[in-house]
Amino acid sequence: MRSTLAACGVLLATAAMSSGCGAKPADDVGRVVAAGGVDFSATLGVADVAPGEVNTVHITGLCVKGSGDGVVTAVEAAPNSGLVVRRFTVLKEMAEVGGAKDSFENLGLESDRRAVEQKCGKGIAGSALYVEIEPSGSKSVHSPYLTIESEVAGINNSFRYPLGLTLCVVGEKNAKFCKE
């Protein structure tokens, strides 16, 4: 009888603590998401890349779904892909750059912006995410996705963006993904 009363007391205490006590409902906390969604799979390839050559690519539009301000904290290629994300930036809108064989500095892109300033909604293109990428060595590289990490209202989140990135090194014909 005593153990039954103790168990009931623990259950009541747990239910009372989880009922709110100032906690934000999960629906109120925002998330940084891809403005066009992630229900697709595509690959962007750059041919004749010199080893160590830097390329700048527009990845997607980002928006905040829900409440709060969003900040992108990291963008990473798939592990062991050989693709290096040197840096990233989030611009208010898409710049007149894309697939450029050049660095942020030479293209005039700010490299220290992280804020996602647009809220999600119908017809919203979102804040433009750009990455500066290069192969890690002298071989062609392919990453089937990028992981985008963010923070909204103090809560960290991440998602995989299914845009594959391929950098085919000059003269490299052995890599399967460069033949396709």
Side-chain angles (χ1 to χ4, degrees):
M1 178 74 136
R2 226 179 222 185
S3 62
T4 304
L5 288 174
C8 288
V10 170
L11 287 173
L12 286 174
T14 303
M17 286 191 293
S18 63
S19 68
C21 295
K24 245 184 182 177
D27 293 343
D28 287 346
V29 178
R31 298 174 53 105
V32 171
V33 298
V38 292
D39 296 339
F40 71 94
S41 181
T43 298
L44 173 66
V46 182
D48 297 326
V49 175
E53 178 180 274
V54 175
N55 283 267
T56 295
V57 180
H58 171 251
I59 301 301
T60 187
L62 298 173
C63 58
V64 177
K65 185 176 185 178
S67 64
D69 295 327
V71 176
V72 174
T73 57
V75 177
E76 299 173 352
N80 303 313
S81 66
L83 185 83
V84 175
V85 177
R86 290 172 33 116
R87 57 185 107 170
F88 63 92
T89 192
V90 179
L91 305 178
K92 289 181 183 179
E93 56 191 36
M94 197 165 140
E96 295 295 323
V97 177
K101 290 186 157 202
D102 222 332
S103 67
F104 282 3
E105 291 86 11
N106 290 343
L107 295 170
L109 295 178
E110 297 177 50
S111 63
D112 60 352
R113 290 189 39 81
R114 304 285 188 261
V116 178
E117 298 180 353
Q118 295 189 22
K119 299 293 182 192
C120 296
K122 189 173 180 166
I124 299 293
S127 301
L129 172 65
Y130 284 85
V131 294
E132 194 179 75
I133 57 176
E134 68 180 339
S136 62
S138 60
K139 301 275 185 198
S140 297
V141 297
H142 172 76
S143 178
Y145 61 84
L146 291 175
T147 299
I148 301 170
E149 298 177 12
S150 62
E151 180 184 316
V152 177
I155 297 178
N156 295 319
N157 211 335
S158 69
F159 68 94
R160 283 188 178 175
Y161 191 70
L163 176 65
L165 294 173
T166 302
L167 298 178
C168 294
V169 174
V170 175
E172 176 87 7
K173 297 180 189 204
N174 297 331
K176 177 184 173 191
F177 45 82
C178 288
K179 292 177 185 177
E180 297 173 352

